[in-house]
Amino acid sequence: MIDLPLLLAFIAAASLLTVTPGVDTAIVLRTATLEGRRQAVLAGAGICLGCLAWGVAVSLGLGALLQASELAYTVVKFAGAAYLIWLGSRLLFRPRASFDTGTGMSGGHGQAFWRGLLTNLLNPKIGVFYVTFLPQFVPLGADVAGYSFFLACLHVLLTLAWFAVLIAATIPLGKLLRRPALTRALDRVTGGVLVAFGVRLATSSAP
């Protein structure tokens, strides 16, 4: 059962939320600029798989557990915050002199994928967001768990489309932004963003 006006409302709201700058956007932009298209695609795939995993978790009721259990939420929250602060600190204090030096957030051996995946898996706000946001767009009479997962899949598709736009827009600037001074600056800016989001996550309270 699909309520078309409700579905269109969800697509509009989810699209707006998708393009709002955040950790995911920062990671994909930096990866595309300094590490190339392939690594950016891997980072985006990891992020989207993390969203999909949270969609499955919400369908199974784990998102509701995070919302109801302060302990469970706190454990995941601090794990995610620690990961973001660690990732950001490496970029802030050990920025790369060039895009291929192998320090900082290097993308070899699938690291870009795991970076994106862990960033989302360790963020309980995504699970809480799904469990509070998705049900608002479930039509009357529909299976809440199944339809919520369908909406989560739609959100993932929108996210993939947005990442494709970001990657396409940043690749032409790659040569310019790979200059040593700009590489270090971009590393530090991205690191600052990640640390800021990590601190924000650590000091936030459960919705």
Side-chain angles (χ1 to χ4, degrees):
M1 175 186 296
I2 293 180
D3 184 325
L4 186 57
L6 200 59
L7 181 61
L8 293 176
F10 169 78
I11 291 174
S15 297
L16 182 61
L17 292 168
T18 298
V19 302
T20 301
V23 175
D24 296 346
T25 297
I27 288 176
V28 171
L29 276 176
R30 182 203 171 277
T31 305
T33 302
L34 297 181
E35 299 178 24
R37 188 189 307 270
R38 181 174 180 275
Q39 297 303 323
V41 169
L42 287 174
I47 289 168
C48 289
L49 184 59
C51 287
L52 197 60
W54 276 115
V56 172
V58 167
S59 298
L60 296 176
L62 297 182
L65 173 63
L66 283 177
Q67 190 178 32
S69 171
E70 183 177 351
L71 176 61
Y73 181 89
T74 300
V75 169
V76 180
K77 178 184 76 171
F78 280 113
Y83 178 71
L84 287 176
I85 292 172
W86 171 77
L87 203 59
S89 296
R90 292 177 66 196
L91 293 176
L92 273 173
F93 300 112
R94 289 180 16 190
R96 299 187 297 175
S98 65
F99 75 99
D100 58 354
T101 59
T103 59
M105 288 167 57
S106 64
H109 307 295
Q111 287 185 36
F113 172 80
W114 289 107
R115 185 191 314 143
L117 178 63
L118 289 175
T119 296
N120 267 12
L121 285 182
L122 294 175
N123 187 354
K125 282 189 172 294
I126 297 175
V128 175
F129 165 74
Y130 272 0
V131 83
T132 55
F133 181 72
L134 298 184
Q136 300 177 51
F137 298 92
V138 176
L140 291 174
D143 176 64
V144 175
Y147 201 88
S148 293
F149 179 67
F150 164 68
L151 293 177
C153 290
L154 276 183
H155 179 241
V156 168
L157 290 176
L158 291 170
T159 303
L160 283 172
W162 173 237
F163 287 165
V165 171
L166 288 178
I167 293 169
T170 53
I171 290 300
L173 297 175
K175 288 186 178 180
L176 172 65
L177 294 175
R178 286 174 184 174
R179 294 177 180 177
L182 290 176
T183 297
R184 286 191 292 267
L186 188 57
D187 272 3
R188 287 183 174 127
V189 169
T190 305
V193 169
L194 296 181
V195 170
F197 274 101
V199 171
R200 180 181 177 185
L201 178 60
T203 57
S204 66
S205 56

